[in-house]
Amino acid sequence: MSLVGKTLNQRFYILKSLGQGRVERTYLAEDRSFQSHPQCIVKHFTPIVDSIAVLFDRETDILAKLSLYSNNLIPKLIDKFDRLDGLYIVEEFIAGKPLATELTAGKQLTPLAAIELLMEILTPLNYCHREQLIHRHLQPDNIIRRDRTQQLVPIDFDIANLHALNTPDKFYRGTPGYAPEEQQYGEPVAASDIYAVGKIAIQALTGIHPTELRRNPQTMEWEWRQYCHVTDDLAAVLNRMVELLAPRRYQNASEALAAVQTLIIDKNLLVSPPSPHSEPIQLTLAAPAIGQTFGFETAKLVSGIFELESPTIVRSLGTAECITEDLGNGVKLKMVYVPAGTFMMGSEQQDSEQPIHRVSLKSFYIGKYTITQEQYQSIVGKNPSTFKGNNHPVECVSWHDAMEFCEQLSQHRGQTYTLPSESQWEYACRGGTNTPFYFGDTITPDLVNHKNDYTYREVFKGMNRERTTAVGSFPPNAFGLYDMHGNVWEWCLDSWHENYQGAPTDGSGWMKMNDGYHLLRGGSWGSNPDYCRSAYRVKRSQMIRYRSIGFRVCFTGD
């Protein structure tokens, strides 16, 4: 029965049917929870057995995660729900044209353009394979060039291999010409996606649809090179991608990307030998990246020779990976990847910072900066701050205010955001160091916005700014995180505990039931130097709001 004209989940109004598969029907809909009624894709899967429902939940959860940190290269998963008539998923509608419109019959791409195409398809696919998610349905009609960014976005994921698992026969799953033999028999692997990508690239080079090509009966290789001019290096990569047996192919997108990258080291590998009159080829491709790699200049304090000599600031370059979340109306939120690791938490300077203990954390993402007033306004709709400025940290926020922001941001983005646990915060702040500050043993107003009425280990006092500064005004630590010392105090998730006796050692939050006190970290513009140390912690009521208190957000990276 068609759903056209109905509203699902009191939110999604079905406009029209886009097609019928073996176990699912796809619809174009409007999301009427937003005033602009943005279009979206609704997929209705007919009732399925419990074992497949488990796979369905797993893979839609992965898609939800991928849609948040894949730099808009994966359609965003907006919602999933079930009714008596089956399971539903709702995805972002990708406005654009299918890759099939670029690969018309007889049209041949240059080797350079084909290399670029490979990079464009393999990059989003790499996000999927890192999370053990197989697309299973790659072909030119299911890859859209997004109008807004001109990036290629794979769509129509074959969730939980429902096509193969829900039918009595297991033949011809996927699109003829692009699906390898193991997929046709209902046993796809990540290398099955690589096969499809290779066939797409060969089609781009030859202008011939894959169903029109034949294998050599002696070598079992596809016969395609006679229809175009490519070097042996490029041909070898493509032939391995479309090997008959899956174990002989690149096993995932990461391996395939690495092979493609070797082709762009030397420009001459991209084309067949040029004629004497041809112009030199200009290399325009950049190496692929997972997330956005950004560069920064960090700083380290080196003590002076004489007792009263100011320390020297030594600067060096670093790089880190981040993702950029779109909060709407041009407002962005940058989240930095913090790798898994182990560190010694605490210090001997205060009883509350003891005992020093080893903590091992999984990877996670945390705000590059504290939440700004512009970001807070875009999600909550108000700005409580005293020191106004779009790029200044939001302040005058309680712990409850910060948690409410996390909840609304999570609903907005479909990803669970929260405050960092205390151990996540300290690990992120230290950036691999064990000194009181991530830049060394002492502190200076040249590197931190803090109160300078006192010194820490005999460093000259400097100016008191007596207010917040714009986020990112001072050098970051080695993780690429800014203002972990000073500017505003930052709420952590944990309840307050007087010391670390019995504290978690896995990076998780340490909570008490019905406890009214939480903790702050990092110091502020009004804090003495000692309060800005990586290990320093302070107890505050969860209801307190003050012009020196803000926060940053995080979510789990794996």
Side-chain angles (χ1 to χ4, degrees):
M1 182 180 67
S2 175
L3 298 174
V4 175
K6 296 184 178 181
T7 300
L8 303 179
N9 234 19
Q10 299 180 331
R11 175 178 178 182
F12 305 108
Y13 178 76
I14 304 299
L15 296 173
K16 64 179 181 179
S17 175
L18 297 179
Q20 172 74 55
R22 291 178 181 265
V23 295
E24 91 287 349
R25 183 183 288 273
T26 303
Y27 296 92
L28 181 67
E30 289 179 344
D31 186 350
R32 294 195 169 178
S33 66
F34 293 95
Q35 189 173 4
S36 61
H37 292 182
Q39 291 186 336
C40 56
I41 300 296
V42 173
K43 293 183 179 180
H44 172 211
F45 295 89
T46 52
I48 56 179
V49 299
D50 290 343
S51 60
I52 301 172
V54 172
L55 290 174
F56 180 91
D57 286 338
R58 171 192 171 273
E59 298 201 358
T60 50
D61 286 345
I62 293 173
L63 273 179
K65 177 181 178 181
L66 286 172
S67 68
L68 291 173
Y69 67 76
S70 63
N71 302 313
N72 295 315
L73 295 179
I74 303 292
K76 290 181 173 60
L77 188 66
I78 299 171
D79 198 3
K80 71 172 183 177
F81 52 93
D82 60 84
R83 307 196 316 171
L84 292 177
D85 60 345
L87 301 172
Y88 291 81
I89 61 173
V90 185
E91 296 178 342
E92 170 192 14
F93 171 70
I94 305 296
K97 295 180 179 179
L99 178 61
T101 62
E102 302 176 23
L103 305 182
T104 55
K107 180 180 179 181
Q108 295 179 261
L109 296 189
T110 65
L112 177 60
I115 290 283
E116 185 171 8
L117 181 64
L118 281 168
M119 305 271 277
E120 286 188 282
I121 300 173
L122 288 169
T123 297
L125 192 60
N126 196 15
Y127 287 104
C128 302
H129 288 181
R130 285 202 309 179
E131 301 295 336
Q132 315 304 314
L133 180 67
I134 308 169
H135 188 285
R136 305 185 180 98
H137 203 192
L138 281 172
Q139 50 106 340
D141 282 318
N142 287 339
I143 302 174
I144 305 297
R145 190 170 296 282
R146 191 192 289 268
D147 284 341
R148 179 165 50 85
T149 63
Q150 292 301 296
Q151 293 174 313
L152 290 180
V153 180
I155 64 169
D156 200 18
F157 285 75
D158 192 357
I159 298 298
N161 204 15
L162 292 173
H163 288 252
L165 292 170
N166 277 274
T167 51
D169 63 296
K170 291 188 175 183
F171 293 96
Y172 301 107
R173 303 298 161 250
T175 304
Y178 303 97
E181 189 168 291
E182 74 276 0
Q183 185 166 328
Q184 296 174 20
Y185 285 85
E187 299 175 351
V189 292
S192 305
D193 287 344
I194 302 305
Y195 180 95
V197 176
K199 287 302 238 6
I200 292 171
I202 289 172
Q203 180 181 355
L205 286 165
T206 62
I208 300 173
H209 193 276
T211 56
E212 300 178 24
L213 297 175
R214 296 291 179 266
R215 287 190 185 273
N216 184 300
Q218 279 75 44
T219 65
M220 294 306 293
E221 288 188 350
W222 288 103
E223 296 181 336
W224 60 273
R225 287 196 66 179
Q226 64 268 37
Y227 302 111
C228 59
H229 298 285
V230 297
T231 63
D232 291 342
D233 301 84
L234 176 53
V237 169
L238 292 177
N239 281 334
R240 182 173 174 185
M241 293 177 77
V242 297
E243 277 274 7
L244 176 64
L245 301 178
R248 295 181 180 177
R249 299 179 211 135
Y250 302 110
Q251 294 302 291
N252 51 50
S254 178
E255 288 187 13
L257 269 173
V260 173
Q261 282 183 274
T262 64
L263 300 176
I264 66 172
I265 296 174
D266 186 342
K267 300 178 193 178
N268 295 327
L269 295 181
L270 299 181
V271 293
S272 54
S275 69
H277 306 291
S278 63
E279 293 295 324
I281 300 262
Q282 297 298 315
L283 185 63
T284 58
L285 297 176
I290 302 303
Q292 301 164 328
T293 300
F294 67 99
F296 51 86
E297 187 178 69
T298 188
K300 183 178 181 181
L301 288 176
V302 180
S303 299
I305 299 175
F306 303 105
E307 184 178 357
L308 296 180
E309 184 180 356
S310 293
T312 300
I313 299 176
V314 178
R315 301 183 185 272
S316 58
L317 298 178
T319 60
E321 177 187 327
C322 78
I323 58 175
T324 302
E325 306 278 22
D326 186 359
L327 304 186
N329 298 317
V331 180
K332 308 293 184 183
L333 171 63
K334 294 184 180 296
M335 302 292 292
V336 173
Y337 177 77
V338 176
T342 298
F343 81 113
M344 301 305 295
M345 184 174 180
S347 81
E348 297 178 347
Q349 296 200 33
Q350 303 282 346
D351 290 342
S352 64
E353 299 165 16
Q354 298 180 36
I356 298 175
H357 58 291
R358 183 182 301 274
V359 179
S360 298
L361 301 94
K362 296 180 180 179
S363 62
F364 59 98
Y365 284 85
I366 191 168
K368 185 176 181 180
Y369 313 106
T370 51
I371 293 298
T372 65
Q373 295 171 37
E374 182 180 54
Q375 292 164 343
Y376 193 86
Q377 175 85 37
S378 70
I379 297 298
V380 179
K382 60 183 179 181
N383 180 8
S385 304
T386 300
F387 306 113
K388 301 297 185 184
N390 281 345
N391 290 324
H392 283 242
V394 67
E395 15 90 5
C396 291
V397 286
S398 68
W399 183 86
H400 280 297
D401 294 333
M403 291 297 288
E404 181 183 1
F405 175 91
C406 290
E407 182 177 351
Q408 293 191 36
L409 178 62
S410 299
Q411 293 174 354
H412 179 74
R413 299 298 301 167
Q415 160 72 47
T416 302
Y417 285 81
T418 186
L419 296 174
S421 69
E422 189 178 16
S423 52
Q424 283 177 322
W425 191 94
E426 185 170 328
Y427 176 72
C429 177
R430 289 185 179 277
T433 67
N434 57 10
T435 50
F437 308 94
Y438 60 67
F439 40 78
D441 290 318
T442 188
I443 190 171
T444 167
D446 292 328
L447 299 179
V448 175
N449 180 19
H450 70 101
K451 187 177 180 180
N452 293 290
D453 292 344
Y454 302 92
T455 61
Y456 187 88
R457 297 187 179 175
E458 301 301 320
V459 173
F460 286 125
K461 291 184 290 186
M463 63 180 295
N464 279 325
R465 296 178 175 88
E466 299 183 342
R467 58 164 296 148
T468 62
T469 49
V471 298
S473 297
F474 302 93
N477 66 8
F479 285 154
L481 301 173
Y482 291 77
D483 302 316
M484 297 297 291
H485 300 300
N487 213 19
V488 289
W489 288 98
E490 298 180 34
W491 285 112
C492 289
L493 178 65
D494 308 48
S495 303
W496 171 259
H497 294 78
E498 295 297 332
N499 55 48
Y500 290 137
Q501 292 289 349
T505 59
D506 61 355
S508 58
W510 193 15
M511 308 297 290
K512 293 180 183 177
M513 294 297 294
N514 302 317
D515 185 75
Y517 292 92
H518 288 266
L519 56 94
L520 296 167
R521 287 298 205 112
S524 76
W525 58 267
S527 300
N528 291 329
D530 182 63
Y531 297 167
C532 298
R533 291 183 295 108
S534 299
Y536 191 86
R537 52 201 301 265
V538 64
K539 173 183 180 182
R540 289 292 181 268
S541 165
Q542 61 190 12
M543 304 303 295
I544 191 172
R545 296 183 177 93
Y546 195 62
R547 57 184 181 168
S548 62
I549 297 176
F551 66 101
R552 73 180 73 210
V553 297
C554 76
F555 65 84
T556 303
D558 61 356

